[in-house]
Amino acid sequence: MVLLIPLAAIVALVAAFVLAQAVLRAETGDKRMVEISDAVRQGANAYMNRQYRTIAVVAAIITAIFVIVTLASGSARQLWLWTTVGFVVGALFSAISGYVGMGVAVRANVRVAQAARKGLGEALQIAFNGGAVSGMAVAGLALLGVSGFFYLFHYVLRLENPVEPLVGFAFGASLIFLYAPVATEIYTKAADVGADLVGKVEAGIPEDDPRNPAVIADNVGDNVGDCAGMGADLFETYAVTAIGAIFLGYLLPNFPGGGHEVTNLVLYPLVLGAIAIIASIASLYLVRLGPDNNIMNALYKGVWGSAAIGVVGFFIASLIMFRTFDFSILPAAGNWFRLFACSLIGAAVTLLIMYITEYYTSTRFSPVQRVAKASITGSATNIISGLAVGMQSTALPVIVLVFATFFAFQLSGLYGIAVAAVAMLSVTGMIVAMDTYGPITDNAGGIAEMSNMPESVRENTDALDAVGNTTKAVTKGYAIGSASLAALVLFADFSERLRALPGQENLSFQLDDPIVLIGLLIGAMLPFLFSSFLMEAVGRAAGSVITEVRRQFREIPGIMEGTGKPDYGRAVDIVTQAALREMAVPGIIAVVAPLLVGFLFGPLALGGLLIGVIASGLMMALAMSNGGGAWDNAKKYIETGNHGGKGSDAHAAAVVGDTVGDPYKDTAGPSINPLIKVINTVALIFATMIAAVGGIFL
């Protein structure tokens, strides 16, 4: 089992390479198609390079702080040293995962457009394979990073505590995911909003019209946001959840004579991750278009296959690793089958949340259709209906997570919840593939439109893109659900870490304690404050784009007639500068808030803050992501000919709603995920130090 873990990670990276080569061998189309694709690729690369240079400065500052703490930590110097190294490597791996996915996606788009000439099936295969490159790379890098560090600490360096330094790796992954998606999503939505408001609303030209100076910036945003952003998101969630489960497996056992040992409880999360990768690779071959040409069903076959194969593997691993294990050392009763049942719960949660999210965001179901119908009476009723759908959509996912948490805890205590969270990530590779599929097909449609490809081709790319809108919404729901379980695991780690300290054995977070309530209220407020900065950032950045597009329409002769060429590069540069400028404050909030509350009010207040941010953040993320998805697809539903179709009053109202929903679903909502996990990770890293200070105000 020990050798299976790094082997699976390497196999995933090899699979990513093979898939990438298959995509790149496909035909690229004519000169005009390649020219548009190259413009998107160059813009995406320029943005990513500038973004990561900026983030590198932040990472360097935090590394310097870690070095200072290391030098001043005395007997704990070795622990802090390896925590620092883990932070740097975690940040590096997270950045690589974002680059890999986007690098192939920006090359796959033109190949999908060309394949659409031949038929829907071939275009689907190239689009999905392009996404699968990112999926395999994310899963492989996450497992390789976590297992590699654990093996180094335990088997090579033989550290007394080989688990705690892993938190540094988690923090590095979380930090990159906090800053990178914040910036990319600001960029994405600013470009999208700017392009839509001036192009579709003011100028009355279609989406992806080459006359729009912001159209390339919008296509770039699809890639840096949905490809690089989601890649970094699920890399971070994968790494953080695995490390959290490992941490619990190390802290929870009560051995005779005290102390902690590395048992199968520590290795089990890594084994589950390895099995999940093998299951994802095997299920890639299930994604094929059937006789009914149902694209969504073709993609879901991969998800179901990955979950089914994974569950079989979990059963075998649980039996082999825990059949003779002494569960009396754990606070909660257990056996091998209970652990397997917890993994089954995690897999079930994944599928349920995906289908619930699809229900609230797909054009096939009543919530989106209600929003579309509300558009008949204007933009105000459209917005009201979208807000209502977003709020309603929080109920079912929360109920699913509540029951999953309850039953997992009843089966195997806190460790059972951690196992469920790890198992929920069993389809990570497939989920990232589905998410990256979305911007690939979106860009393919844009290339088809801008290069004046035949209507039959456009029909195929539109069909692929329509499903892509749903997959992006579904994967965001999955990311939010998995992030919430990961956060619960991190909170359990934080609590157990404090209880392991001398004199803190009976520590508990009582809601009738004013100090805990202080922290809870601050934590519940943070997602609102964080989201407000992001929403305003999108508005300011979009304003810059709108001003530039209007200027070009006014000053560059022949744009509207098609004889003049817009300055695409200028629009890309303006959005890039605005996005990177706006990302600083939200990032500071996530890192500084838990430190301020912890050092000023003590560990009890910090625990309350963690509870508050998890509960409030989960609700906000679900409402924003699903509500925004409903607005988006309500517009798409009208564009297919319902309620008057394109150009109708209902369509104009839906465009306004979609514009409001864009920063909801693609900026503020998804960015709450890293906020929750960064805050929990920072609290875990500094738990011992905060407990020693005890609260300056107390």
Side-chain angles (χ1 to χ4, degrees):
M1 287 292 184
V2 173
L3 294 176
L4 174 67
I5 299 164
L7 181 62
I10 294 169
V11 169
L13 297 177
V14 171
F17 177 79
V18 172
L19 287 166
Q21 294 305 303
V23 170
L24 296 177
R25 284 196 299 268
E27 298 177 18
T28 57
D30 59 36
K31 182 180 177 181
R32 175 59 176 162
M33 294 168 64
V34 173
E35 180 183 315
I36 297 168
S37 177
D38 285 347
V40 174
R41 178 174 56 82
Q42 291 166 10
N45 287 336
Y47 173 83
M48 291 290 287
N49 292 337
R50 187 180 296 185
Q51 172 185 265
Y52 278 117
R53 284 198 301 270
T54 305
I55 295 173
V57 175
V58 178
I61 294 171
I62 293 177
T63 302
I65 295 171
F66 271 120
V67 170
I68 294 170
V69 174
T70 300
L71 296 173
S73 55
S75 60
R77 184 171 297 176
Q78 187 185 51
L79 172 63
W80 277 100
L81 171 64
W82 288 113
T83 300
T84 304
V85 173
F87 167 78
V88 174
V89 176
L92 180 62
F93 272 39
S94 181
I96 292 172
S97 70
Y99 263 112
V100 169
M102 190 202 70
V104 175
V106 294
R107 290 170 172 84
N109 48 27
V110 68
R111 291 165 169 83
V112 172
Q114 176 64 13
R117 293 181 185 269
K118 303 176 182 178
L120 196 59
E122 187 170 339
L124 168 65
Q125 206 59 56
I126 295 174
F128 177 75
N129 285 347
V133 172
S134 183
M136 295 302 103
V138 166
L141 284 169
L143 185 61
L144 185 64
V146 176
S147 64
F149 264 104
F150 174 74
Y151 282 22
L152 173 66
F153 298 150
H154 182 56
Y155 295 110
V156 179
L157 300 176
R158 298 190 179 278
L159 298 183
E160 182 181 353
N161 184 345
V163 172
E164 193 159 342
L166 289 173
V167 181
F169 185 92
F171 183 46
S174 296
L175 183 79
I176 293 297
F177 175 48
L178 175 69
Y179 277 96
V182 165
T184 56
E185 297 299 357
I186 292 172
Y187 175 101
T188 302
K189 290 304 105 183
D192 192 6
V193 170
D196 282 354
L197 286 181
V198 184
K200 290 195 291 188
V201 178
E202 293 184 8
I205 58 180
E207 189 173 0
D208 294 323
D209 193 298
R211 293 172 292 178
N212 192 333
V215 71
I216 295 296
D218 187 14
N219 286 327
V220 167
D222 290 333
N223 290 284
V224 299
D226 290 317
C227 297
M230 183 58 75
D233 182 346
L234 289 178
F235 172 89
E236 182 253 4
T237 299
Y238 197 111
V240 167
T241 305
I243 290 169
I246 290 169
F247 212 96
L248 275 181
Y250 185 73
L251 288 177
L252 283 175
N254 183 21
F255 295 98
H260 301 287
E261 298 177 14
V262 172
T263 67
N264 280 348
L265 293 171
V266 173
L267 295 173
Y268 188 56
L270 297 175
V271 171
L272 294 185
I275 292 169
I277 283 177
I278 296 170
S280 293
I281 294 172
S283 61
L284 292 176
Y285 299 97
L286 298 176
V287 180
R288 297 290 186 272
L289 201 62
D292 59 353
N293 280 346
N294 192 312
I295 301 170
M296 199 69 203
N297 283 349
L299 296 173
Y300 273 149
K301 280 188 275 186
V303 176
W304 274 100
S306 181
I309 297 169
V311 165
V312 173
F314 297 164
F315 179 88
I316 296 170
S318 302
L319 178 62
I320 293 173
M321 297 181 72
F322 295 103
R323 182 175 52 182
T324 60
F325 189 81
D326 181 13
F327 282 89
S328 65
I329 61 175
L330 288 174
N335 55 51
W336 72 268
F337 189 81
R338 287 189 175 207
L339 287 183
F340 166 68
C342 291
S343 72
L344 197 60
I345 288 172
V349 169
T350 295
L351 298 173
L352 286 170
I353 286 183
M354 287 179 62
Y355 280 111
I356 290 169
T357 305
E358 184 185 2
Y359 172 74
Y360 283 105
T361 59
S362 173
T363 57
R364 296 191 297 130
F365 300 107
S366 63
V368 168
Q369 294 173 13
R370 290 201 306 270
V371 176
K373 186 178 181 180
S375 305
I376 298 172
T377 50
S379 54
T381 47
N382 168 280
I383 292 171
I384 292 170
S385 182
L387 288 172
V389 167
M391 293 176 187
Q392 290 168 10
S393 72
T394 63
L396 288 177
V398 169
I399 291 171
V400 168
L401 290 169
V402 164
F403 277 102
T405 302
F406 174 79
F407 286 117
F409 183 80
Q410 292 299 311
L411 287 167
S412 294
L414 291 175
Y415 189 73
I417 297 174
V419 170
V422 172
M424 191 176 177
L425 293 166
S426 62
V427 295
T428 291
M430 194 60 61
I431 293 296
V432 176
M434 287 176 61
D435 183 79
T436 308
Y437 160 94
I440 291 174
T441 56
D442 191 0
N443 277 193
I447 291 171
E449 177 78 26
M450 287 184 279
S451 59
N452 296 314
M453 297 181 73
E455 186 63 28
S456 61
V457 175
R458 186 62 185 173
E459 287 175 2
N460 284 336
T461 58
D462 281 348
L464 294 167
D465 184 29
V467 173
N469 281 323
T470 300
T471 62
K472 287 187 287 186
V474 167
T475 54
K476 283 184 175 68
Y478 166 84
I480 294 166
S482 60
S484 66
L485 279 185
L488 287 175
V489 174
L490 289 175
F491 176 74
D493 289 335
F494 172 76
S495 303
E496 293 300 321
R497 184 72 186 88
L498 289 177
R499 293 189 185 106
L501 299 174
Q504 301 291 332
E505 295 84 359
N506 297 318
L507 179 140
S508 63
F509 301 97
Q510 301 291 330
L511 293 181
D512 60 353
D513 186 337
I515 301 300
V516 175
L517 282 175
I518 287 171
L520 189 148
L521 290 172
I522 296 173
M525 171 272 294
L526 285 176
F528 289 86
L529 181 65
F530 184 80
S531 298
S532 73
F533 281 110
L534 295 183
M535 297 286 285
E536 287 189 332
V538 170
R540 286 192 293 267
S544 301
V545 180
I546 290 169
T547 301
E548 174 60 19
V549 173
R550 286 172 176 170
R551 184 194 68 79
Q552 292 196 31
F553 278 159
R554 186 174 60 252
E555 297 180 5
I556 299 178
I559 284 186
M560 296 305 295
E561 292 78 18
T563 57
K565 186 177 180 181
D567 187 351
Y568 300 124
R570 176 61 179 162
V572 170
D573 193 58
I574 285 175
V575 190
T576 299
Q577 293 180 34
L580 294 177
R581 186 171 58 248
E582 297 285 356
M583 76 177 184
V585 174
I588 292 171
I589 290 173
V591 176
V592 173
L595 295 177
L596 281 177
V597 171
F599 283 114
L600 293 178
F601 296 101
L604 288 178
L606 181 54
L609 181 144
L610 301 183
I611 297 169
V613 78
I614 292 171
S616 169
L618 172 61
M619 305 304 156
M620 283 200 68
L622 287 170
M624 285 184 161
S625 294
N626 293 337
W631 271 313
D632 185 7
N633 277 329
K635 181 194 70 175
K636 298 288 185 184
Y637 182 74
I638 293 172
E639 288 175 346
T640 59
N642 297 288
H643 306 306
K646 288 185 178 181
S648 64
D649 290 342
H651 183 242
V655 169
V656 174
D658 181 38
T659 304
V660 174
D662 273 341
Y664 260 51
K665 70 180 175 69
D666 289 329
T667 306
S671 295
I672 293 174
N673 293 351
L675 172 75
I676 296 171
K677 286 174 287 187
V678 165
I679 287 176
N680 277 271
T681 305
V682 169
L684 185 57
I685 290 174
F686 291 95
T688 303
M689 196 177 296
I690 289 170
V693 173
I696 296 171
F697 286 174
L698 301 180

